């Protein structure tokens, strides 16, 4: 505006006097009507021009203002959107948590009652018998990492809910178990030292996981375990046998030795046992990834187990309760309700479990996809009604082996630069030293993917009960993810990645958005919070990257 | 133990569970650092290494993607040959390299990483790197490794120059080319392959490629048609003396990484032999082997196509899923068969020497020399190199593997004896009489060779002693 009008004026004002126009302006006829009209018209034009300019500038300004307003509005909306999104995400997370909580509550509810019940009882009770104390220690040692593992036990615990009988039945057990363990304990040493450490060291840092109840349970459980200063009382409960697996593992070793002994006096058993074992091993090695390609193998395995059950081959009868974590009473409709089963049958189940674990170790570290048919057959055999005892699965035979081979899945942790830490992590010794790192890692990868293959099976269309349901997978994942940052080990990262990769979609199928939150926690937060960065921690975000690229899952 | 049990309940628990102190205080003071010698041993292992990939100079230009690719492939740390060879190969100005390292120790990943770091991806349609392999299977396998390690590199293109892959009128328009020498030679001659911008030439299984009459000529001709300043990288698990001499003139003033004779075999492979009463008993014995240990996949090497087919029949009857692969099959058929085996659709592969070299199927846990490898006129002499390459199909990258060689007469016995002498190894004898005993023995051997895997000496530059 200011720039426009003066221009003309200036040009008139400053126009050089030598020009004829100036004389024109001083001329006689300057007062003529014509010149006035001229001047008037000029003034009018000038006025119009100035006005137009003003209006234009005003409009410009207005437009600019409008623009700014729109932008501001947009920003505000965006922010609102973001806030909304955040809220939704939060709500989703909360919902997911609630979902988990609810799902688990239904399982936990039966568990809690037995727990407080025994606790008060023994405290006032004068001096519990010495033997029961030592047993309870045995159980008490594990509670820490027990988190959810115990859930299954808790279900069974509810059977023995009458606290007295339960504690009784336990104290009956020790004579058979406890001494045995102490003998083996020293010999084996492997998983054993874990417990006390776990208890002592990790109590404080255990935090409830951001998602999922396992934590809630465990923290609950923990606080209970901790507050009564005498741990004896708490451990009186039958629940926390996370490490009963170690005992079962020992018992299975004894079972195998016993079969070898039996074979010496039973020629029929000797003739068949080795062939059955090799047949089982061969059959599991034949499993292929192609769907429906393993029918013959499944048939062969079932035929072997059937043969061992029908009594055509003589073998001692043994008490199966040595090979399960819970106490079992006869159950209506169950095929095998007696107090004993042929030892050959349990032996074959043990060989089956061992072979599956070995197959995971040898094959699946290199080819994770090979785990799936093995997971299928494991779930199939351990859920088969013909092979249940008192109506429940004998899957603990497999899990005992798992607990020893891959403790990380059961919540154990350790420092890889210390001897004890390595033992706790299931790092194998061979010969004079430790197995090479590459071998250890490979083994853990295979076991991790195998675990997913067993636990993430869909039984919704099966008439049988899932022997190792997805909640176990969740619990194992949570136990790793909730490791305090300073204690995160490379082994854990490897296991974590192993159990997620190629099973992420199945996991999401089971748990929906809760699974996505869990994956975020495992693949993004977990490696970030680790204090020491290892190749394993680097591998987790790469998996997140791969998931984003391959299935569009943005964590 | 008894008095401890009395002192504190926690101690009792610990004692019950094992010989470890109970309180955390004790535990801290009791923790023992993993011994240096153990870590050291890890370092001497051909797969162990002190370095990380980042430290090997991979963090310059494109490499973040390469690094990420290596991680995605679950390569956590470089192996010995990678640690030694990568910095030399990546150094500027580029120098030639002749590298020998045991089977399954990461040679392919080493040269693929180098190739990926040398290519200029802004010129995606100009061939810049050429990799030669002796068979179409191996070429395809290398192509697969390149695409996997390079999966995060935008604009990455790999052409396979194998029979039937590039049409007569077409041209090679990817930055990396993998092929067999014959096809590559034809493509260059027909001007379908512009070699002017090539900067790296890799020859895998180099001893085999340079030594054999046909392949050697083709390689030399191909090299003659390439730019003079090209960087040449030669890799193999075996380099017999006379080939090495030729190799040094083929790749002048090269850095050389070489193994000693005793280091040739991977100690993680348990080598055994089965004493068969006669040729006819071999079938039945073969099937029995699968119950002795847990086996992932297995490869059976035979002499003739006919016996391959016969063995297949008896194994299928026994419940195995079997692929047979030999020269009688056409290219694409061979690809499909090998893919079935790779993906686990079939778990037994019966083959002739076609696949003795280079093929990497990580799940192979047993190799059977159904017929012992022989060479020369009338199959008169034992073939140590082929034996080594065959058994190298198992025990990949530190895994445990088993090799069982069948002998059934004096000739095969003498040949195996000579091979063992060449390699300075002892083979464990198995007998088919008592399977319980044989099983026990096999389990023992596997256990001890797992322990032995620790003691493999390293690949050293220029060879020590």
């Amino acid at each position: 505006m200011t720039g426009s009008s003066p221009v003309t004026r200036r040009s008139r004002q400053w126009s050089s006097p030598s020009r004829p126009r100036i004389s024109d302006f001083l001329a006689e006829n300057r007062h003529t009507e014509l010149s006035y009209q001229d001047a008037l018209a000029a003034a009018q034009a000038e006025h119009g021009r100035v006005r137009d300019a003003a209006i234009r500038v005003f409009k410009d300004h207005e437009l600019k203002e409008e623009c700014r307003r729109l932008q501001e509005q947009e920003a505000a909306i965006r922010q609102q959107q973001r806030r909304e999104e955040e809220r939704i995400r939060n709500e989703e997370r909360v919902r997911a948590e609630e979902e988990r909580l609810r799902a688990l509550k239904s399982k936990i509810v039966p568990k809690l009652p037995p727990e407080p019940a025994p606790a008060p009882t023994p405290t006032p009770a004068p001096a519990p018998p010495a033997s029961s104390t030592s047993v309870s220690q045995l159980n008490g040692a594990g509670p820490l990492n027990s988190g959810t593992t115990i859930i299954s036990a808790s279900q069974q615990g509810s059977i023995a809910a009458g606290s007295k009988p339960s504690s009784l039945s336990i104290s009956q057990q020790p004579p058979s178990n406890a001494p045995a363990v102490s003998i083996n304990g020293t010999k084996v040493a492997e998983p054993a030292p874990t417990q006390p450490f776990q208890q002592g060291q990790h109590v404080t840092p255990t935090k409830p996981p951001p998602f999922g109840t396992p934590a809630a349970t465990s923290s609950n459980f923990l606080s209970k375990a901790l507050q009564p200063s005498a741990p004896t009382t708490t451990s009186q409960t039958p629940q926390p046998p996370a490490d009963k697996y170690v005992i079962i593992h020992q018992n299975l070793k004894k079972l195998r030795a016993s079969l070898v002994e039996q074979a010496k006096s039973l020629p029929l058993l000797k003739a068949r046992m080795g062939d059955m074992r090799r047949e089982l091993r061969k059959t599991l090695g034949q499993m292929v990834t192609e769907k429906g390609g393993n029918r013959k193998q499944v048939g062969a395995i079932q035929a072997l187990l059937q043969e061992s059950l029908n009594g055509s081959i003589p073998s001692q009868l043994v008490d199966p309760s040595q090979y399960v974590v819970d106490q079992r009473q006869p159950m209506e409709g169950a095929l095998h309700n007696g107090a004993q089963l042929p030892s050959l049958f349990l032996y074959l189940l043990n060989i089956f479990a061992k072979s599956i674990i070995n197959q995971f170790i040898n094959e699946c570290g290199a080819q994770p996809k090979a785990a799936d048919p093995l997971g299928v057959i494991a779930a199939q055999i351990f859920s088969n009604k013909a092979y249940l005892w008192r109506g429940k699965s004998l899957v603990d035979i497999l899990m005992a082996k798992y607990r020893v081979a891959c403790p990380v899945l059961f919540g154990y942790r350790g420092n890889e630069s210390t001897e004890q830490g390595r033992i706790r992590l299931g790092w194998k010794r061979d010969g004079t030293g430790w197995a090479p790192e590459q071998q250890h890692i490979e083994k853990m990868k295979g076991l991790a993917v195998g675990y997913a293959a067993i636990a993430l099976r869909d039984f919704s269309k099966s008439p049988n009960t899932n022997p190792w349901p997805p909640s176990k997978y969740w619990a194992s994942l949570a136990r790793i993810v909730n490791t305090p940052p300073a204690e995160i080990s490379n082994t854990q990262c490897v296991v974590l990645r192993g159990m997620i990769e190629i099973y992420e979609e199945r996991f999401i199928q089971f748990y929906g958005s809760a699974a996505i939150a869990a994956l975020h926690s495992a693949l993004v937060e977990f490696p970030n919070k680790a204090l020491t960065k290892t190749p394993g921690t680097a591998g987790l975000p790469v998996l997140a990257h791969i998931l984003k690229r391959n299935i569009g899952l943005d964590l | 133990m008894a008095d401890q049990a009395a002192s504190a309940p926690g101690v009792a628990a610990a004692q019950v569970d094992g010989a470890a102190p109970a309180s955390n205080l004790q535990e801290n003071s009791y923790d023992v650092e993993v011994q240096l010698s153990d870590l050291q041993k890890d370092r001497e292992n051909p797969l162990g290494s002190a370095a990380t990939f980042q430290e090997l100079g991979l963090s310059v230009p494109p490499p973040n993607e390469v690094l990420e690719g290596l991680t995605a492939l679950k390569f956590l740390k470089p192996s010995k040959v990678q640690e030694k060879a990568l910095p030399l190969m990546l150094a500027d100005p580029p120098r030639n390299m002749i590298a020998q390292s045991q089977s399954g120790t990461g040679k392919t990943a080493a040269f693929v990483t180098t190739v990926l770091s040398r290519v200029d991806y802004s010129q995606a349609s100009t061939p810049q790197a050429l990799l030669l392999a002796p068979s179409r299977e191996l070429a395809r396998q290398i192509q697969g490794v390149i695409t996997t390690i390079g999966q995060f590199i935008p604009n990455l293109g790999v052409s396979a120059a194998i029979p039937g892959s590039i049409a007569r009128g077409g041209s090679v328009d990817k930055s990396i080319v993998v092929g067999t020498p014959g096809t590559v030679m034809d493509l260059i001659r027909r001007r379908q392959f512009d070699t002017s911008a090539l900067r790296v030439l890799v020859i895998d299984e180099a001893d085999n490629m340079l030594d054999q009459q046909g392949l050697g000529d083709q390689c030399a001709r191909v090299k003659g048609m390439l730019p003079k300043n090209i960087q040449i990288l030669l890799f193999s698990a075996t380099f017999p003396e006379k080939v090495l001499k030729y190799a040094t003139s083929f790749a002048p003033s090269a850095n050389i990484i070489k193994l000693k004779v005793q280091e040739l075999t991977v100690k993680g492979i348990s080598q055994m032999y089965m004493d068969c009463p006669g040729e006819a008993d071999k079938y039945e014995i073969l099937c029995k082997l699968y119950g002795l240990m847990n086996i992932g996949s297995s490869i059976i090497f035979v002499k003739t196509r006919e016996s391959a087919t016969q063995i297949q029949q008896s194994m299928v009857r026994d419940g195995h899923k079997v692929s047979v692969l030999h020269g009688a099959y056409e290219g694409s058929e061979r690809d499909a068969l090998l893919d079935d085996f790779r993906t686990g659709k079939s778990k037994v592969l019966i083959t002739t020497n076609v696949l003795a070299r280079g093929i990497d199927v990580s799940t192979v846990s047993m190799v059977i020399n159904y017929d012992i490898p022989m060479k020369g006129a009338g199959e008169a002499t034992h073939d140590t190199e082929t034996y080594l390459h065959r058994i190298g199909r198992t025990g990949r990258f530190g895994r445990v593997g088993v090799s069982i060689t069948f002998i059934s007469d004096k000739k095969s016995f003498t040949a195996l004896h000579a091979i063992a002498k060449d390699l300075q190894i002892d083979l464990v004898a198995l007998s088919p009489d008592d399977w319980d005993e044989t099983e026990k023995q096999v389990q023992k051997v596997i256990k001890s060779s797992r322990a032995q895997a620790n003691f493999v000496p390293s690949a050293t530059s220029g060879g020590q002693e």
Side-chain angles (χ1 to χ4, degrees):
Chain A
M1 172 160 80
T2 34
S4 51
S5 45
V7 183
T8 22
R9 203 177 287 162
R10 201 190 305 144
S11 72
R12 288 207 176 164
Q13 237 170 14
W14 297 101
S15 45
S16 125
S18 67
R19 287 202 181 158
R21 261 194 94 170
I22 294 199
S23 53
D24 197 44
F25 150 68
L26 297 169
E28 277 305 288
N29 62 351
R30 67 184 192 273
H31 292 299
T32 63
E33 195 183 342
L34 206 72
S35 78
Y36 276 118
Q37 272 172 357
D38 258 2
L40 212 60
Q44 185 85 34
E46 178 65 10
H47 172 77
R49 198 188 58 76
V50 169
R51 190 170 182 276
D52 283 349
I55 289 173
R56 200 184 60 240
V57 168
F58 175 68
K59 284 221 171 110
D60 268 3
H61 177 71
E62 230 175 12
L63 205 72
K64 252 183 241 160
E65 280 294 289
E66 179 70 12
C67 262
R68 196 178 312 145
R69 217 193 66 236
L70 281 176
Q71 269 169 1
E72 261 164 35
Q73 208 172 344
E74 201 184 316
I77 290 174
R78 251 194 223 134
Q79 201 178 353
Q80 225 168 336
Q81 262 175 3
R82 221 171 298 134
R83 232 175 286 143
E84 270 319 273
E85 273 168 8
E86 181 109 354
R87 181 186 62 80
I88 292 173
R89 227 173 294 134
N90 278 337
E91 274 175 5
E92 265 173 3
R93 215 170 297 148
V94 170
R95 206 197 105 97
E97 257 175 72
E98 275 175 353
E99 239 170 59
R100 286 287 309 143
L101 189 72
R102 216 171 293 165
L104 278 159
K105 249 186 196 160
S106 56
K107 290 179 189 165
I108 293 155
V109 170
K111 165 194 189 167
L112 286 176
E115 199 184 329
T121 357
T123 332
S131 71
S132 86
T133 335
S134 69
V135 186
S136 57
Q137 235 81 84
L138 218 167
N139 295 335
L144 251 235
N145 49 22
S146 58
T148 10
T149 359
I150 311 353
I151 289 173
S152 78
S154 73
Q155 292 165 330
Q156 283 113 27
S158 64
I159 299 165
S163 60
K164 285 240 170 95
S166 85
S167 68
L168 245 181
S169 63
I170 300 166
S171 56
Q172 272 169 352
Q173 230 178 2
S176 67
N177 281 339
V181 180
S182 64
I183 295 165
N184 301 319
T186 34
K187 193 168 61 185
V188 181
E190 214 180 89
T194 42
Q195 300 175 333
F197 302 156
Q198 221 79 34
Q199 193 173 23
Q201 282 194 324
H202 306 305
V203 161
T204 9
T206 315
K207 278 176 263 165
F211 47 85
T213 5
T217 358
S218 76
S219 68
N220 238 345
F221 190 77
L222 269 181
S223 54
K224 258 179 212 144
L226 288 179
Q227 272 149 16
S229 56
T232 356
T233 47
T234 3
S235 41
Q236 203 83 23
T237 53
Q239 265 97 332
D243 277 84
K244 201 149 177 221
Y245 285 132
V246 176
I247 302 169
I248 294 176
H249 189 250
Q250 290 311 310
N251 292 345
L252 288 169
K253 275 193 178 176
K254 273 179 274 169
L255 175 72
R256 294 201 294 276
S258 134
L259 260 290
V260 172
E261 277 306 307
Q262 290 180 45
K264 284 178 185 161
S265 53
L266 299 167
L268 206 56
L269 179 65
K270 182 174 170 50
R272 209 54 200 105
M273 192 171 88
D275 285 342
M276 289 173 108
R277 178 179 63 233
R278 286 187 288 272
E279 175 84 17
L280 207 51
R281 209 184 271 140
K282 180 192 81 183
T283 311
L284 285 169
Q286 287 176 340
M287 303 293 261
V288 289
T289 50
E290 212 162 12
K291 240 190 167 164
N294 298 317
R295 247 171 245 137
K296 203 169 166 182
Q297 280 68 26
V298 174
I301 291 170
Q302 289 181 335
L304 286 170
L305 289 172
Q306 210 47 52
E307 190 182 345
S308 72
L309 273 172
N310 67 17
S312 60
I313 307 164
S315 71
Q316 279 172 15
L317 293 176
V318 291
D319 177 9
S321 65
Q322 303 173 58
Y323 313 112
V324 293
V325 292
D326 55 331
Q327 299 293 312
R328 293 185 187 177
Q329 304 301 327
M331 194 178 272
E332 214 182 288
L335 218 58
H336 306 289
N337 254 335
Q340 292 183 313
L341 283 174
S343 53
L344 180 63
F345 168 68
L346 292 162
Y347 172 82
L348 285 186
L349 274 187
N350 179 220
I351 296 293
F352 174 74
K354 260 172 83 91
S355 293
I356 285 190
I357 297 271
N358 278 335
Q359 212 71 40
F360 284 151
I361 293 174
N362 290 337
E363 194 178 3
C364 304
Q367 175 60 277
K369 290 197 178 102
D372 209 59
L374 294 166
V376 171
I377 186 91
Q380 212 169 342
I381 293 296
F382 283 110
S383 69
N384 190 322
K385 292 204 167 76
Y387 315 132
L388 303 184
W389 179 58
R390 294 188 166 166
K392 281 191 230 150
S393 173
L394 289 166
V395 71
D396 291 337
I397 291 178
L398 175 61
M399 286 307 148
K401 186 77 193 144
Y402 239 114
R403 156 67 185 85
V404 172
C406 191
V408 166
L409 286 169
F410 294 78
Y412 290 86
R413 36 188 185 255
N415 181 345
E416 280 169 20
S417 60
T418 68
E419 303 261 334
Q420 281 83 352
R422 287 191 170 195
I423 290 172
R424 253 173 280 154
L425 291 168
W427 194 311
K428 273 255 183 188
R429 279 186 159 281
D430 57 12
T432 51
W434 295 100
E437 187 176 7
Q438 183 74 28
Q439 221 173 68
H440 169 71
I441 296 298
E442 179 102 0
K443 173 184 157 186
M444 291 299 157
K445 273 194 271 186
L447 287 167
V449 66
Y451 190 76
I454 293 171
L456 294 178
R457 299 260 70 103
D458 184 4
F459 269 68
S460 60
K461 289 184 193 114
S462 165
N464 297 340
T465 314
N466 192 341
W468 201 256
S471 59
K472 304 282 191 183
Y473 178 88
W474 180 285
S476 293
L477 190 89
R479 279 192 212 106
I480 297 174
V481 169
N482 290 313
T483 305
E487 295 178 40
I488 294 172
S489 62
N490 191 43
T491 302
Q492 284 181 310
C493 296
V494 168
V495 169
L496 195 55
R497 179 171 174 187
M499 68 193 286
I500 293 173
E501 197 161 10
I502 78 170
Y503 279 94
E504 62 276 334
E505 287 184 59
R506 233 164 212 285
F507 182 40
I508 293 171
Q509 265 169 30
F510 280 115
Y511 284 101
S513 49
I516 294 172
L519 290 179
H520 175 80
S521 183
L523 301 180
V524 181
E525 288 168 20
F526 184 71
N528 275 340
K529 75 175 184 180
L531 295 189
T532 11
K533 303 296 174 208
T534 61
T537 51
L540 292 166
V542 171
L543 177 55
H545 190 160
I546 293 174
L547 293 184
K548 185 175 177 184
R549 191 192 57 191
N550 293 355
I551 59 172
L553 179 65
D554 194 354
L555 297 169
Chain B
M1 186 156 150
D3 55 321
Q4 271 178 337
S7 66
V11 178
Q15 293 304 325
V16 170
D17 297 325
S23 85
N24 27 353
L25 279 177
Q26 278 181 30
E27 119 98 356
N28 281 339
S29 63
Y30 204 79
D31 261 6
V32 179
E33 294 278 317
V34 171
Q35 291 203 350
L36 198 63
S37 66
D38 271 336
L39 299 174
Q40 200 74 43
K41 217 156 49 190
D42 235 22
R43 229 163 276 156
E44 283 165 10
N45 186 298
L47 300 173
S49 153
T52 62
F53 281 111
Q54 283 87 341
E55 289 161 13
L56 296 184
L58 274 183
S59 18
V60 250
N64 262 341
E65 281 98 5
V66 178
L67 266 182
E68 213 168 328
L70 287 167
T71 316
L73 214 63
K74 302 187 186 163
F75 275 102
L76 297 176
K77 278 184 183 174
S79 70
K80 204 92 217 158
V81 65
Q82 289 162 357
E83 183 193 2
K84 296 236 182 223
L86 274 173
L88 295 173
M89 294 192 291
L90 291 171
D92 278 312
R95 248 184 98 176
N96 295 339
M97 161 71 84
I98 299 172
Q100 179 184 22
S101 177
Q102 296 96 334
S103 54
T105 52
K107 291 186 289 287
T108 309
F111 63 69
V112 164
T113 305
T114 309
V115 163
L116 287 173
S117 308
R118 288 254 183 244
V119 169
D120 175 0
Y121 297 98
S122 62
Q123 303 183 329
S125 56
T126 315
Q128 296 167 55
L130 172 64
L131 298 91
L132 296 177
S135 66
R136 67 177 287 127
E137 282 77 18
L138 203 46
R140 284 183 71 241
Q141 176 176 296
I142 294 170
Q143 186 187 14
V145 175
I146 297 173
T147 41
T148 324
I149 297 184
Q151 60 180 304
F152 297 105
I153 301 175
N155 291 331
L156 173 71
V158 191
S159 278
I162 52 178
S165 66
I166 287 166
R168 272 220 160 230
S171 67
V172 179
D173 57 355
K174 301 280 164 55
S175 49
I176 301 177
V177 186
V178 191
T180 47
T183 310
V184 167
M185 198 172 67
D186 292 347
L187 287 170
I188 300 176
R189 281 190 176 155
R190 283 194 237 115
R191 307 200 180 278
Q192 288 172 277
F193 180 5
D194 171 20
T195 59
S196 59
L198 283 176
R199 42 183 110 166
V200 197
L201 168 68
V202 178
I203 299 186
D204 195 11
E205 304 300 340
D207 60 327
N208 182 257
M209 298 271 277
L210 299 181
D211 188 31
Q212 276 190 16
Q213 206 73 78
L215 283 173
D217 290 351
Q218 287 168 342
C219 284
R221 271 186 214 144
V222 168
K223 188 194 156 200
M225 296 186 275
L226 306 181
K228 292 289 159 270
N229 60 346
I230 197 165
Q231 182 183 17
I232 301 173
L233 312 174
L234 305 179
F235 277 80
S236 183
T238 50
F239 271 110
E241 268 318 307
K242 63 173 178 124
V243 187
L244 190 64
K245 216 171 266 170
Y246 176 58
T248 45
S249 71
F250 189 91
S253 63
N255 290 309
I256 300 178
I257 295 179
K258 206 178 158 287
L259 292 171
K260 288 177 275 178
V261 182
Q262 306 93 300
E263 297 172 342
L264 285 175
T265 49
V266 173
K267 295 290 190 287
I269 306 174
S270 316
Q271 301 180 52
M272 299 176 255
Y273 70 92
M274 176 62 78
D275 199 349
C276 307
E279 186 69 30
D281 304 293
K282 283 174 159 185
Y283 289 116
E284 204 192 319
I285 293 172
L286 177 69
C287 286
K288 286 277 189 188
L289 292 181
Y290 286 80
L292 300 180
M293 60 210 126
N294 290 98
I295 295 185
S297 305
S298 58
I299 301 183
I300 302 171
F301 286 103
V302 296
K303 195 165 63 184
T304 63
R305 299 169 184 180
E306 293 71 42
S307 58
T309 314
Q310 274 173 334
I311 296 169
Q312 181 190 27
Q313 284 163 359
S314 78
M315 293 203 71
V316 167
R317 265 198 306 278
D318 202 34
H320 294 276
K321 307 280 183 310
V322 187
S323 290
V324 178
L325 197 157
H326 48 63
Y329 291 96
E330 284 303 313
S332 57
E333 229 176 329
R334 277 165 64 163
D335 295 350
L337 281 167
L338 191 61
D339 283 348
D340 276 357
F341 185 63
R342 232 182 248 288
T343 54
K345 274 189 199 158
S346 67
K347 298 188 84 172
V348 179
L349 179 70
I350 306 177
T351 184
T352 54
N353 272 344
V354 186
L355 284 191
R357 278 170 177 265
I359 291 301
D360 176 33
V361 179
S362 45
T363 51
V364 173
S365 50
M366 177 162 77
V367 168
I368 294 172
N369 284 311
Y370 193 83
D371 298 308
I372 199 161
M374 304 295 276
K375 66 181 174 189
E379 307 255 292
T381 28
H382 63 278
D383 184 350
T384 307
E385 262 89 37
T386 300
Y387 173 86
L388 209 52
H389 281 281
R390 279 182 178 183
I391 69 165
R393 296 315 98 219
T394 186
R396 309 294 292 174
F397 220 77
R399 300 184 182 98
V400 176
V402 171
S403 85
I404 300 180
T405 303
F406 280 15
I407 57 168
S408 60
D409 53 20
K410 182 139 189 286
K411 187 185 170 194
S412 51
F413 179 80
T414 329
L416 185 65
H417 191 72
I419 289 174
K421 208 174 141 209
D422 281 353
L423 297 174
Q424 305 177 12
I425 49 166
D426 287 321
L427 291 150
V428 179
L430 302 175
S431 115
D433 301 333
D434 180 346
W435 289 107
D436 278 349
E437 267 315 302
T438 309
E439 179 185 346
K440 233 183 256 170
Q441 200 175 2
V442 168
Q443 297 283 347
K444 207 171 83 190
V445 171
I446 294 175
K447 238 177 214 164
S448 72
S449 72
R450 195 176 279 152
Q452 256 187 12
N454 273 342
F455 298 109
V456 180
S458 57
T460 43
S461 315
Q464 284 175 342
E465 291 168 291

